[in-house]
Amino acid sequence: MEPTAAQVACFEAGIKFGSLYHQFAGTPVSPDSADSLTAAMEEAIENQPYCEAVTVAVREDELREAIESAGADYTELTGRFLDVTMTVDYEGVVVETSMAMEDGYPLMQVETVRE
Amino acid sequence: MEPTAAQVACFEAGIKFGSLYHQFAGTPVSPDSADSLTAAMEEAIENQPYCEAVTVAVREDELREAIESAGADYTELTGRFLDVTMTVDYEGVVVETSMAMEDGYPLMQVETVRE
Amino acid sequence: MEPTAAQVACFEAGIKFGSLYHQFAGTPVSPDSADSLTAAMEEAIENQPYCEAVTVAVREDELREAIESAGADYTELTGRFLDVTMTVDYEGVVVETSMAMEDGYPLMQVETVRE
Amino acid sequence: MEPTAAQVACFEAGIKFGSLYHQFAGTPVSPDSADSLTAAMEEAIENQPYCEAVTVAVREDELREAIESAGADYTELTGRFLDVTMTVDYEGVVVETSMAMEDGYPLMQVETVRE
């Protein structure tokens, strides 16, 4: 069957998450550069169609700990340092999604679908 | 409301498309290296959860033309050189998706949702 | 023969250019989001060892033109929209490098090496 | 001063390393998909100018261990799973380079410069 508007809205939300993650994973990041990176991630993904709002926060404690335990000045961005929320609006269907760590993996989830 | 299984299946399919595109866009590619790149793209994304099958084809004519018109030996991978299909199976809901050029843009689409 | 300090300095400069380009190529970008992206690119790469300074500018006219001619709201970042300069200091050898378009390709160059 | 051919050769080698690393870091990888990924990495980077040869090997033991200890089926490609060698020839100057783990970091190095 052809997809419903709500299903397409969820597909669009998934595209944004995959884009955000795989575009920016691996970027050199430190506590000092975290703010410019999260701002860029938000604004870059908000360019994409149907994307109403993106918030990206870096878990600074986790980031500092990873950098210190490696005896380094920076590390590479990966899901364990990120909390993300995203709102997609496709033909009036509003999808709220999030990414956060669960059992050591960055879990991307649909929170709510409002038709 | 909480998402249905079919909506989550579409979200998962979207994640794979965003991942595939933004992980590999920008890769140096030529007609000679296209086959190894498409094989890697397929197998990489098939690792992701609920991803049953991925096929990636490079539009070789379009690729050759872009390289020749630039007087180059290779170019960077972008959506205009790609045809992609993908099958996601999430809790028995099977979603068929595709990416192909439409009006100069790589359009990612849900083709069918089978519950 | 083992490399000289000046040769290693040039190698390190090259690493930063390849990193900057392939990390961020493909990012969705519009005139409104260009500033946050260039700030993030600069600060991300400045984290890397021996990297003293990075400046990234987006060619806004070129960007607007590409977006308008495609009838779109944004496009994907690629070298044709970028001017980059970078200073690397490795063991007192200072290397100045740049990236700019030449004959339709983003040419990365060592400008000067000061020992 | 303007760079020597040997310095430019080292700069070119650095570009390839930064490209390889930041293009492919974050790719979903498992023992089963490692071979297609390394083949694609080699052929993609060999497209770049002056690049004579690239070999990429995945440290399978390290990869299996990381996947098992996370209770997962795959992980994301990062430097700790990679051994890379690369030969660049720029105007007759041959540069041999490598990447391997040292003190927990993927160290990129110029091995030899032959003029």
Side-chain angles (χ1 to χ4, degrees):
Chain A
M1 291 209 321
E2 296 219 339
T4 65
Q7 289 165 354
V8 176
C10 291
F11 179 68
E12 290 291 335
I15 291 173
K16 276 75 187 162
F17 261 106
S19 299
L20 181 145
Y21 197 87
H22 286 274
Q23 182 63 59
F24 294 102
T27 303
V29 64
S30 62
D32 284 353
S33 73
D35 285 353
S36 64
L37 182 55
T38 55
M41 292 170 77
E42 291 173 353
E43 293 196 11
I45 301 301
E46 284 173 356
N47 282 315
Q48 293 188 327
Y50 318 116
C51 190
E52 292 296 296
V54 181
T55 67
V56 181
V58 162
R59 304 175 157 210
E60 294 224 3
D61 288 352
E62 186 111 5
L63 182 63
R64 277 180 208 283
E65 204 177 283
I67 291 170
E68 276 167 29
S69 77
D73 298 319
Y74 70 100
T75 188
E76 295 172 18
L77 186 70
T78 185
R80 61 189 274 219
F81 302 126
L82 290 175
D83 286 306
V84 181
T85 67
M86 212 182 286
T87 307
V88 161
D89 182 337
Y90 177 81
E91 294 187 1
V93 180
V94 178
V95 177
E96 306 282 357
T97 57
S98 66
M99 186 180 84
M101 292 306 286
E102 200 165 300
D103 299 330
Y105 264 72
L107 189 64
M108 303 175 185
Q109 276 188 297
V110 181
E111 302 285 349
T112 59
V113 178
R114 284 201 311 274
E115 294 187 69
Chain B
M1 293 211 318
E2 297 218 340
T4 64
Q7 289 165 353
V8 175
C10 291
F11 180 68
E12 290 291 335
I15 292 173
K16 275 75 187 162
F17 261 106
S19 299
L20 181 147
Y21 197 87
H22 287 273
Q23 182 62 58
F24 294 101
T27 302
V29 63
S30 62
D32 284 352
S33 72
D35 285 352
S36 64
L37 183 55
T38 55
M41 293 171 77
E42 292 173 352
E43 293 195 11
I45 300 303
E46 285 173 355
N47 282 315
Q48 293 189 326
Y50 318 117
C51 192
E52 292 296 296
V54 181
T55 68
V56 181
V58 162
R59 303 176 155 208
E60 293 224 3
D61 289 353
E62 187 110 5
L63 182 64
R64 278 178 206 283
E65 204 176 283
I67 291 171
E68 275 167 29
S69 76
D73 298 318
Y74 72 100
T75 189
E76 295 171 19
L77 186 70
T78 184
R80 61 190 276 221
F81 302 126
L82 289 175
D83 286 306
V84 181
T85 66
M86 212 181 286
T87 307
V88 161
D89 182 337
Y90 177 81
E91 293 186 4
V93 181
V94 178
V95 177
E96 305 282 355
T97 58
S98 66
M99 187 179 85
M101 292 307 285
E102 199 164 301
D103 297 330
Y105 265 72
L107 189 64
M108 301 173 187
Q109 277 188 297
V110 180
E111 302 286 347
T112 60
V113 178
R114 285 202 312 273
E115 296 187 68
Chain C
M1 290 209 322
E2 297 217 340
T4 65
Q7 289 165 354
V8 175
C10 291
F11 180 67
E12 290 290 337
I15 291 173
K16 274 78 189 161
F17 261 106
S19 300
L20 181 145
Y21 197 86
H22 286 274
Q23 183 62 59
F24 294 102
T27 303
V29 64
S30 62
D32 284 352
S33 73
D35 285 352
S36 65
L37 182 56
T38 56
M41 292 171 77
E42 291 173 353
E43 293 196 11
I45 300 301
E46 284 173 357
N47 282 316
Q48 293 189 326
Y50 319 116
C51 191
E52 293 294 297
V54 180
T55 68
V56 180
V58 162
R59 303 174 157 210
E60 293 223 4
D61 288 354
E62 187 110 6
L63 182 63
R64 277 179 207 283
E65 205 176 283
I67 291 171
E68 275 168 30
S69 77
D73 298 318
Y74 71 99
T75 186
E76 295 172 19
L77 186 71
T78 184
R80 62 189 274 220
F81 303 125
L82 289 175
D83 286 305
V84 181
T85 67
M86 212 181 285
T87 307
V88 162
D89 183 336
Y90 176 81
E91 293 187 4
V93 181
V94 178
V95 177
E96 306 282 357
T97 57
S98 66
M99 186 179 84
M101 292 307 285
E102 200 165 300
D103 299 329
Y105 264 73
L107 189 63
M108 303 175 185
Q109 276 190 297
V110 181
E111 302 285 348
T112 60
V113 179
R114 284 199 315 272
E115 296 188 68
Chain D
M1 294 208 319
E2 297 217 339
T4 65
Q7 289 165 353
V8 175
C10 291
F11 179 68
E12 290 291 337
I15 291 172
K16 275 76 188 162
F17 261 107
S19 300
L20 181 146
Y21 197 87
H22 287 273
Q23 182 63 58
F24 294 101
T27 303
V29 64
S30 62
D32 283 352
S33 72
D35 284 353
S36 65
L37 182 54
T38 55
M41 293 171 77
E42 292 173 351
E43 292 195 13
I45 301 301
E46 284 173 355
N47 282 316
Q48 293 190 324
Y50 317 118
C51 191
E52 293 295 298
V54 181
T55 67
V56 180
V58 162
R59 302 174 159 212
E60 294 225 2
D61 289 351
E62 187 110 7
L63 182 64
R64 277 178 206 282
E65 204 177 282
I67 291 170
E68 275 167 31
S69 76
D73 298 320
Y74 71 100
T75 188
E76 295 172 18
L77 187 70
T78 183
R80 61 189 277 220
F81 303 125
L82 289 175
D83 286 305
V84 180
T85 67
M86 212 181 285
T87 306
V88 161
D89 182 337
Y90 177 81
E91 294 187 4
V93 181
V94 178
V95 177
E96 305 282 356
T97 58
S98 66
M99 187 179 84
M101 292 307 284
E102 199 164 300
D103 298 330
Y105 264 73
L107 190 64
M108 302 174 186
Q109 276 189 297
V110 181
E111 302 285 348
T112 61
V113 178
R114 285 199 315 271
E115 296 188 68

